[in-house]
Amino acid sequence: MSNFHQPVDAAEVPRFAGHATFMRLPAVPTPEGLDIALVGIPWDGGTTNRAGTRHGPREIRNQSSLMRRVHHVTRVSPFEIANIADVGDVSVNPIDVLDALKRIEAGIAAIVAAGAVPLAAGGDHLTSLPSLRAVAKARPVGLIHFDAHSDTNDTYFGGNPYTHGTPFRRAIEEGLVDPQRFVQIGIRGSIYDGDEHAWAAAQGVRIIYMEEFVRRGPADVMAEVRRIVGDAPAYVTFDIDSIDPSMAPGTGTPEIGGFTTREAQEMLRLLAGIDIVGADVVEVSPPFDLAGMTALAGATVMFELMCVIAANIAARRAR
Ligand code: MN
Ligand code: MN
């Protein structure tokens, strides 16, 4: 344990000093030897409305300097029980979508090959597709998807299959995600023609609209999520626009009527014990943010996910 990477102590070097890395952990050149690799995907080439998520990882790193060592509810101390570091950003191509998808997949695949769990900061939501291609190479995974949007549209702009509104349709078509173990939480807002939701539901995807979430509350909803996903490997994807724009305005496609940050935290803690083989936080767009509040929400979601994943790894090691 003493060999595990540790964050810089804020009592020695203040939080605002030095180079920003995720959680103030060391930046390491490779994922070898890590349990969890924190990685940035600075890309917004799949964005259909206002852009800027290419700047997400850098600002999430900055705001993550506020994260401390111990989770105040679960008392998980992730850096004591798992080896975690910042592996930098994956290679991207800001002017070529197909090449970017290949580069992102290769970057995440290197983490998977090293035996580490990738925990990524996007990037727009299309970045989840190449991440799933890397994580689900051997078998389809379950998917727990927090979002205002279903992201299961077919095509945009004259038949283009790759935008941040289409990743999970592609992921099902490519056999990366088992639609029977796929649940979406927080879906709301106006839709194009109803096809995306109808298509997803026809595949077996469980769509929990925001209105149902409000009626039932986090504990009941997450109990159902656990039943749907079961014990097999699952990926968690958190679109920051699932949170209400009053608390997370810095995003490309805001929808009113969203989760509070507190509801989001409560749900994330209830992921404990689920076999999470990869996760991401996407759609943080710093140019539209106010006072860093959306990037702070993104960094905190990352911390919550990191604590759950680290506790899982430690429990597996102890068995
Ligand atoms: Mn999304
Ligand atoms: Mn969304």
Side-chain angles (χ1 to χ4, degrees):
M1 304 263 180
S2 54
N3 291 331
F4 288 175
H5 296 294
Q6 297 298 314
V8 174
D9 185 349
E12 301 291 335
V13 181
R15 297 186 184 282
F16 47 82
H19 297 288
T21 60
F22 290 121
M23 317 296 163
R24 308 192 88 213
L25 284 161
V28 298
T30 78
E32 304 303 322
L34 298 184
D35 297 307
I36 303 173
L38 307 181
V39 59
I41 309 180
W43 194 73
D44 51 20
T47 305
T48 56
N49 188 27
R50 52 189 203 184
T53 63
R54 65 179 62 184
H55 304 293
R58 190 170 282 191
E59 192 54 26
I60 291 173
R61 282 189 175 93
N62 188 22
Q63 294 296 332
S64 76
S65 69
L66 282 156
M67 299 304 114
R68 300 182 186 84
R69 302 179 64 98
V70 181
H71 193 287
H72 79 284
V73 176
T74 63
R75 299 289 156 163
V76 167
S77 183
F79 313 113
E80 300 300 322
I81 57 175
N83 199 16
I84 312 171
D86 184 335
V87 296
D89 290 343
V90 299
S91 172
V92 294
N93 181 341
I95 59 163
D96 185 326
V97 172
L98 295 180
D99 185 49
L101 294 179
K102 282 190 200 140
R103 288 168 187 244
I104 297 165
E105 180 184 348
I108 302 300
I111 293 170
V112 175
V117 175
L119 175 50
D124 70 45
H125 223 155
L126 183 56
T127 61
S128 295
L129 179 63
S131 294
L132 283 164
R133 285 174 177 165
V135 165
K137 210 163 254 163
R139 37 64 188 122
V141 295
L143 184 60
I144 302 168
H145 174 198
F146 300 94
D147 205 325
H149 313 99
S150 176
D151 295 348
T152 50
N153 285 294
D154 191 5
T155 62
Y156 284 63
F157 311 123
N160 194 310
Y162 298 117
T163 79
H164 70 161
T166 64
F168 303 114
R169 190 143 172 165
R170 299 291 94 79
I172 290 173
E173 289 170 349
E174 294 180 23
L176 306 172
V177 170
D178 176 357
Q180 308 293 323
R181 298 181 52 235
F182 181 175
V183 55
Q184 305 185 313
I185 311 130
I187 308 300
R188 62 187 187 276
S190 55
I191 49 181
Y192 286 95
D193 56 12
D195 169 70
E196 61 168 320
H197 293 188
W199 185 89
Q203 312 307 307
V205 178
R206 170 74 167 111
I207 301 175
I208 300 176
Y209 288 98
M210 183 54 83
E211 291 72 16
E212 181 177 349
F213 170 82
V214 169
R215 265 198 319 275
R216 295 172 58 191
D220 191 37
V221 162
M222 293 309 290
E224 184 185 352
V225 167
R226 300 177 71 91
R227 279 197 301 277
I228 291 168
V229 172
D231 296 328
Y235 191 91
V236 179
T237 186
F238 193 101
D239 187 328
I240 206 73
D241 72 27
S242 63
I243 294 174
D244 193 81
S246 64
M247 294 187 174
T251 193
T253 318
E255 300 285 352
I256 67 163
F259 300 131
T260 64
T261 45
R262 206 160 50 200
E263 287 168 337
Q265 286 175 294
E266 191 175 344
M267 284 190 285
L268 291 165
R269 290 163 199 165
L270 292 169
L271 295 171
I274 291 175
D275 183 13
I276 300 172
V277 292
D280 59 34
V281 183
V282 298
E283 298 287 349
V284 172
S285 179
F288 291 96
D289 206 1
L290 293 168
M293 62 197 286
T294 311
L296 176 60
T300 310
V301 167
M302 235 180 146
F303 180 80
E304 294 277 359
L305 286 166
M306 183 179 70
C307 288
V308 168
I309 297 168
N312 278 350
I313 288 168
R316 206 175 309 134
R317 196 182 276 131
R319 275 200 290 271

